Amino acid sequence: VQLQASGGGLVQTGSSLRLSCAASGSNFDTYNIAWFRQAPGKEREFVAAISFSGRVTWYSNSVKGRFTVSRDNAKNTVYLQMNSLETADTAVYYCAGTKTPISVSLRHRTSPRSYDYWGQGTLVTVSS
């Protein structure tokens, strides 16, 4: 599967953005999809994930209550709705996919190395 993230931009604190992760290829509905982000000088960090069916979602503590991950398997797309954006959310956002289970282990689910396919990233800049 090939993934392409889009929807980033420059916004002010408190604003909202919706990122999209569009997939090409077959069997998109068999892939668990996650969002990661990487700020300048920092390691890539887990943001959110959604199971292949869309029934289960997970969030990092830093975005819980503000971000919502969803998917539309008919459109081969995963979304990340980001509300109440803060300057600390400034980063390049990546979507990533894997067919391996991510529900059991927190460590496995939040590690970039657990994901086999990556999009190219989209920049989100939040200004105060």
Side-chain angles (χ1 to χ4, degrees), residues 16-101:
S16 298
L17 271 179
R18 188 177 79 159
L19 305 184
S20 298
C21 176
S24 59
S26 58
N27 302 320
F28 175 69
D29 58 359
T30 64
Y31 288 86
N32 300 301
I33 301 293
W35 288 95
F36 287 80
R37 66 186 181 188
Q38 189 165 18
K42 295 189 176 182
E43 292 186 354
R44 194 165 296 191
E45 67 168 347
F46 172 83
V47 174
I50 188 165
S51 65
F52 61 89
S53 66
R55 294 193 188 102
V56 188
T57 58
W58 301 268
Y59 299 93
S60 69
N61 288 335
S62 61
V63 308
K64 195 174 296 183
R66 299 188 299 122
F67 291 10
T68 303
V69 61
S70 62
R71 68 191 295 160
D72 184 342
N73 284 340
K75 296 183 178 179
N76 280 13
T77 303
V78 169
Y79 304 99
L80 184 67
Q81 178 67 43
M82 306 186 296
N83 298 331
S84 303
L85 283 163
E86 305 168 352
T87 55
D89 296 318
T90 294
V92 176
Y93 284 71
Y94 300 89
C95 57
T98 181
K99 283 193 171 187
T100 62

